[in-house]
């Protein structure tokens, strides 16, 4: 009766829980999760569970309608640091996940206790190891794994672990359609829906760019995969053609010193600048007339949409997997081959030297960015929740059937191995009889 009362009183409204690595830190997954959680909070009860907490307040603003629940407090002086389980290695969180060293047995136990006691209708994980926590938990709620990284960005060892655990989930949600297709092809998951839902990129609170500033912007972590070296080499062509144009690179990371050395070596000091971290980035994009990405790979391409929101056209490498689903080439931006410095430079110059083209593409980019408004994406998730709930019995049957087939296949393979061990597939007693007959003949 108590459960029935709860369902009736919340008719049409769900409790949705997100599990995050660290909601108190800065990162793309934190930002996109907060955007989605805030949009869902318009219609549902939303809770964010942070696996750890290293500071008093989150770096990003959290919608006051969202409940934030930290599991393990790692701040200096915290009682959690003295808990014996904190000194032990995590067991449930997979070793193959590169964040394993940041998890402890205490995290395992807290996550398990939370999942066993929570009354959520939907639980959504936001990184591979956390998705394993959800797969190991109770089946009461819909269990959904969000993949913010590409399938191919995971090490083979981790993909093997995920293939085993993701079979127990209700759905896997990727950021792009291309990545969803990769999962369907390379990680068959019977009874599990694999769908793509893009990130929400809300409307910005700044005036759009008017396209007149001679500024090119780029943003992201200063790491090799972002290929800022290629961008700087391509920018040399722009600087040579019109020395008044400036390149501003926003972000922090391990490549800072190397990139500064490259800027100096290319003679770009004063024209190309490392600007450090800026949050929110939209205010910086609105002061630019062009945003460029030279990445080798992007699971989505959040900064591309943020730039388009500001009315700024984007030049991006056509890398796997996000940019081609965001940019319509020669309409609201440009797509160029990966690591092709000449093509990147030519695309930048086309827009730098043509004011009308730059402004028309900027206007088209701003209109195109409405695809990432909160409402259509929340609608997509609500349809997914309803479909998953309605189809749950059928998916359970599909999983059981596939497990039975898997058991049968393994049994046959084991039998064949035993037969080969007994003599190339022949019964030993028959082999001996045939040998005796041959001798007698």
């Amino acid at each position: 009766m108590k459960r029935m009362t709860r369902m009736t009183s919340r008719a049409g409204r769900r409790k949705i829980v997100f599990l995050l690595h660290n909601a108190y830190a800065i990162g793309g997954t934190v930002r996109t999760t907060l955007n989605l959680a805030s949009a869902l909070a318009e219609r549902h009860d939303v809770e964010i569970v942070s696996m750890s907490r290293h500071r008093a307040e989150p770096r990003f603003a959290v919608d006051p309608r969202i409940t934030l629940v930290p599991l393990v407090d790692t701040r200096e002086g915290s009682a959690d640091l003295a808990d014996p389980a904190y000194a032990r290695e995590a067991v449930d969180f997979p070793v193959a996940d590169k964040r394993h060293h940041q998890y402890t047995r205490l995290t395992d136990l807290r996550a398990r206790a939370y999942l066993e006691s929570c009354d959520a209708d939907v639980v959504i994980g936001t990184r591979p190891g956390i998705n394993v926590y959800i797969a190991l938990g109770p089946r009461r709620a819909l269990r959904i794994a969000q993949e913010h990284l590409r399938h191919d960005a995971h090490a083979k060892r981790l993909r093997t672990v995920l293939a085993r655990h993701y079979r127990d989930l209700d759905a896997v949600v990727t950021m792009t359609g291309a990545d969803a297709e990769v999962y369907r092809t390379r990680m068959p998951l019977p009874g599990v829906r694999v769908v793509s839902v893009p990130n929400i990129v809300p409307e910005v609170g700044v005036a759009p760019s008017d396209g007149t500033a001679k500024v090119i912007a780029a943003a992201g972590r200063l790491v090799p995969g972002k290929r800022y070296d290629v961008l700087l080499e391509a920018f040399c062509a722009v600087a040579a053609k019109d020395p008044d144009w400036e390149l501003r690179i926003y972000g922090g990371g391990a490549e800072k010193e190397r990139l500064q050395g490259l800027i100096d070596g290319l003679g770009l000091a004063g024209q190309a600048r490392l600007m450090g971290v800026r949050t929110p980035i939209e205010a910086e994009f609105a002061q630019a007339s062009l945003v460029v990405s030279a990445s080798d790979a992007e699971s989505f391409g959040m900064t591309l949409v943020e730039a388009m929101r500001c009315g700024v056209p984007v030049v991006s490498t056509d890398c796997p997997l996000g940019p081609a689903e965001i940019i319509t080439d020669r309409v609201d931006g440009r797509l160029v081959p990966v690591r092709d410095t000449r093509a990147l430079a030519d695309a930048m110059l086309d827009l730098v030297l043509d004011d009308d083209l730059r402004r028309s593409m900027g206007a088209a980019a701003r209109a195109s960015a409405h695809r990432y408004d909160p409402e259509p994406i929340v609608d997509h998730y609500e349809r997914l929740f309803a479909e998953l709930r309605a189809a749950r019995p059928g998916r359970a049957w599909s999983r059981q059937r596939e497990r039975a087939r898997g058991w049968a296949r393994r049994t046959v393979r084991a039998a064949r191995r035993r037969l080969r061990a007994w003599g190339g597939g022949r019964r030993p007693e028959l082999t001996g009889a045939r040998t005796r007959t041959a001798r007698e003949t």
Side-chain angles (χ1 to χ4, degrees), residues 327-388:
I327 298 168
T328 302
D329 190 32
R330 298 182 185 275
V331 175
D332 50 24
R334 291 293 307 276
L335 292 169
V336 300
V338 175
R339 300 192 188 188
D340 190 331
T341 305
R342 178 63 181 272
L344 185 61
D346 288 346
M348 291 165 67
L349 281 169
D350 285 347
L351 288 161
V352 161
L353 299 176
D354 190 331
D355 295 347
D356 291 338
L357 177 63
R358 194 168 63 246
R359 292 192 187 104
S360 66
M361 276 196 179
R366 192 159 182 244
S368 178
H370 284 296
R371 292 174 289 158
Y372 305 98
D373 285 348
E375 188 169 343
I377 293 173
V378 167
D379 287 344
H380 196 149
Y381 269 104
E382 289 190 326
R383 287 194 301 272
L384 176 63
F385 299 155
E387 291 166 4
L388 291 175

Side-chain angles (χ1 to χ4, degrees), residues 74-85:
T74 62
R75 291 176 292 173
E76 187 176 354
S78 165
D80 288 347
L81 302 182
D83 191 306

Side-chain angles (χ1 to χ4, degrees), residues 210-228:
D210 61 9
T212 61
K214 292 192 172 186
V215 175
I216 298 171
R221 291 175 300 125
L222 304 183
V223 294
K226 296 296 184 181
R227 299 317 306 251
Y228 290 115

